[in-house]
């Protein structure tokens, strides 16, 4: 709109700036001196309007830049928040690994097949499971005070570990699996083995969950917020 006003003013100034004898034709009924002064004044004002208009686009371009700065800052703060959450998850995983391994160690030493190759492999893998358990536990429980949810996470890891570590007896036959009494699918040796694994896993994962909750309450570890920041 400012460009249109400036153009109109310039047109009127040029039309008004004519020889003295043509003032009636151009509609200027004033004295020649007065009409000439008016036209000169318009010629001074019009360039100023145009110059101010030339700076208008730069102002328009400057606004989005200033508006873009908060978005850059918000992305930086979001990345910082995500990095902090990942660090906290690693800390929780380390606490779970350490506490669960310490609590499980006495039971592992009392197992019937202690210090065998299979025993060593199973207990080398358990700390890795405990570290993963700690991370999943933090993300699953968050700030929820539901005890059933916490017990469900512990039970899921304990049952999965117990069943995956179970070994069949040497007397079992395949297709279909038959191992003898009392259940055919499981014999007494497998039931005993499953019970030992279940107790050991419950102590390991349950103890890790207890240690994590205790450090949550003390403020040494941070719970995951209800709403996780997303990139």
């Amino acid at each position: 709109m400012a460009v249109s006003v400036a153009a109109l003013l310039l047109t009127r100034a040029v039309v008004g700036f004519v020889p003295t004898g043509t003032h009636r034709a151009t509609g200027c009924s004033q004295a020649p001196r007065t009409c000439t002064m008016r036209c000169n004044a318009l010629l001074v004002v019009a360039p100023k309007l145009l110059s101010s208009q030339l700076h208008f686009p730069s102002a328009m371009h400057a606004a989005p830049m200033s508006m873009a700065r908060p978005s850059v800052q918000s992305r930086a703060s979001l990345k910082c928040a995500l990095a902090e959450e990942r660090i906290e998850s690693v800390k929780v995983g380390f606490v779970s690994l350490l506490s669960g391994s310490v609590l499980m160690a006495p039971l592992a030493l009392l197992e019937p097949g202690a210090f065998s190759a299979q025993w060593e492999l199973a207990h080398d893998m358990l700390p890795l499971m405990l570290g993963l358990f700690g991370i999943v536990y933090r993300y699953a429980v968050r700030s929820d005070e539901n005890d059933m949810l916490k017990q469900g996470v512990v039970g899921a890891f304990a049952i999965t570990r117990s069943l995956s570590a179970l070994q069949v007896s040497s007397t079992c036959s395949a297709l279909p699996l038959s191992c003898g009494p009392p259940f055919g699918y499981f014999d007494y040796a497998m039931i005993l083995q499953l019970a030992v694994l279940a107790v050991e896993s419950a102590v390991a994962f349950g103890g890790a969950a207890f240690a994590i909750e205790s450090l949550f309450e003390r403020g040494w570890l941070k719970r995951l917020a209800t709403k996780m920041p997303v990139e």
Side-chain angles (χ1 to χ4, degrees):
M1 184 175 181
V3 175
S4 301
V5 174
L8 179 60
L9 290 174
L10 279 176
T11 304
R12 293 186 60 187
V14 173
V15 172
F17 191 72
V18 294
T20 307
T22 59
H23 290 302
R24 290 178 181 266
T26 56
C28 184
S29 60
Q30 300 176 5
R33 181 181 178 85
T34 305
C35 189
T36 303
M37 291 176 62
R38 184 184 66 178
C39 294
N40 291 338
L42 290 175
L43 289 174
V44 172
V45 173
K48 291 184 178 180
L49 290 174
L50 287 175
S51 62
S52 64
Q53 180 62 28
L54 290 176
H55 292 287
F56 183 70
S58 62
M60 292 180 61
H61 291 294
M65 293 177 62
S66 61
M67 293 173 61
R69 288 176 184 173
S71 61
V72 173
Q73 294 176 356
S74 62
R75 286 198 298 268
S77 61
L78 178 60
K79 290 182 179 179
C80 183
L82 288 173
E84 290 179 359
E85 292 295 347
R86 288 166 184 152
I87 292 173
E88 285 297 323
S89 296
V90 171
K91 289 165 59 178
V92 173
F94 180 77
V95 169
S96 175
L97 183 154
L98 186 62
S99 58
S101 298
V102 170
L103 293 172
M104 176 270 302
L107 293 177
L109 296 174
L110 296 176
E111 283 188 23
F115 303 105
S116 64
Q118 183 62 38
W119 175 89
E120 182 179 1
L121 176 63
H123 292 86
D124 284 345
M125 296 299 106
L126 183 57
L128 299 179
M129 297 180 188
L130 285 167
L132 180 61
F133 166 78
I135 296 174
V136 173
Y137 185 87
R138 180 173 184 260
Y139 277 83
V141 174
R142 302 194 176 213
S143 300
D144 200 329
E145 296 299 330
N146 189 348
D147 292 335
M148 294 296 294
L149 177 61
K150 300 174 184 179
Q151 294 170 11
V153 179
V154 173
F157 273 82
I159 292 173
T160 303
R161 192 253 174 179
S162 301
L163 294 177
S164 62
L166 182 63
Q167 292 183 327
V168 297
S169 301
S170 57
T171 57
C172 294
S173 59
L175 300 176
L177 181 63
S178 178
C179 298
F183 301 114
Y185 200 85
F186 296 112
D187 61 5
Y188 288 106
M190 292 177 65
I191 294 173
L192 178 61
Q193 182 187 169
L194 183 61
V196 171
L197 287 171
V199 172
E200 184 181 275
S201 299
V203 170
F205 294 111
F210 179 79
I212 292 170
E213 287 292 335
S214 299
L215 295 181
F216 279 158
E217 296 297 329
R218 294 175 180 269
W220 294 359
L221 294 176
K222 290 173 57 179
R223 295 182 183 273
L224 186 66
T226 304
K227 187 175 181 181
M228 178 78 176
V230 181
E231 284 186 290

